[in-house]
Structures are given as structure tokens and as C-alpha cells.
Amino acid sequence: MRRATFAWVAAAAAVVVAAGPAVVVAAGSAMAGQSGEPEHGTPGTGEILPHPGPDGFIWIPDWIGNGGAVGAGLNMSGPPVTVTVGCQGGSGGPGEVHVSFGGGTTPVEFTVACPADAIGRGSAVVPVDRISSLSVGVETSAPDVHWGLTITQPDA
């Protein structure tokens, strides 16, 4: 039996989650727009990362600029969770994305280089005892960097 998953929608986006409804959260950043408000991303039209299959909790195929996702339903006594981000630089050339996963006092963080002409990838395998929430934030080095995200946990 597959675990139930739920998430809240905080920004309009076309996102698919393998086990239930999905969300992309428009994340604020240090970059400010001309109005002085923090900038956030928009849905892309491509597929930076493929669908994660039956072990997937969250799949964001393509997002442009800053963002993230939230949800619930991990098996907290189960195997580790894998967070994978793929990205591609924007019109200004190569870029990077900074990923923060898990919330709490010790989030797992990593940075992925985003080539202009290919897809860069990075992953982190996180034991469930280090996760306080199923939340991930992605901050891009430029507002037109594309990225995709999967969060997976195999059934125990």
C-alpha cells in the first residue's frame, strides 16, 4: 500500500507528484524586483528531470527562478530520502542553484552547477531522522535558470 501524500498550493504551477497532489511554493530571495518585492519563479514548459516513478513524493519537471515545495507523508521509520535537482543555465550563461531540504535546525544543503548547454545534477541522500519536514527551497543564481526536482523514498 502506498503512503498518502498531501501538499498545499502557494503559487500557480503545473506540478506532478507521483503519490498525490503537489505544490510549488514561490520562495522569496535576496534578489528584489523593481517593485521592491522578492522575486520568485514561474513554471517552465520542459522537463529538466524525468518522472521519479512509484517511489516519488514530489516531482517538479521544470521551474524557472527561485521556488521550492512542501508536502507530507514520508515513512519516518523507513529508508532514507533522496533529493535530486537538475538545472540548466539561463540566457546569461551558466548558473547555479542552492538547495535547502528538511527544515529544522540542521537542514541538508547543497549547490549544483548549471551549465548553459547541458543539464547539471546533484543529489543528497538524507536519513529520515534528520528530516523535520518535507520541505525544500531552491534559490537560483539568476532569475532565468531552469531547474527540476524529485524527492523519493523507496517503500520499505
Side-chain angles (χ1 to χ4, degrees):
M1 180 168 109
R2 186 72 183 147
R3 302 172 297 265
T5 299
F6 69 91
W8 310 300
V9 175
V15 180
V16 178
V17 171
V23 286
V24 167
V25 177
S29 75
M31 297 182 292
Q34 297 202 358
S35 67
E37 294 295 315
E39 292 183 6
H40 58 80
T42 59
T45 58
E47 186 176 290
I48 302 296
L49 289 179
H51 190 276
D55 294 335
F57 274 92
I58 294 179
W59 174 45
I60 301 172
D62 185 9
W63 192 259
I64 305 166
N66 296 326
V70 295
L74 290 176
N75 179 355
M76 297 311 285
S77 62
V81 173
T82 301
V83 180
T84 302
V85 173
C87 60
Q88 188 166 17
S91 61
E96 66 180 26
V97 296
H98 182 77
V99 181
S100 179
F101 173 72
T105 57
T106 58
V108 173
E109 297 187 27
F110 60 98
T111 299
V112 179
C114 309
D117 57 352
I119 294 175
R121 284 185 186 225
S123 292
V125 177
V126 186
V128 291
D129 63 352
R130 289 211 39 214
I131 300 171
S132 63
S133 67
L134 183 58
S135 64
V136 62
V138 179
E139 186 172 348
T140 61
S141 61
D144 61 347
V145 171
H146 286 248
W147 57 270
L149 170 79
T150 62
I151 297 178
T152 59
Q153 181 185 39
D155 279 332

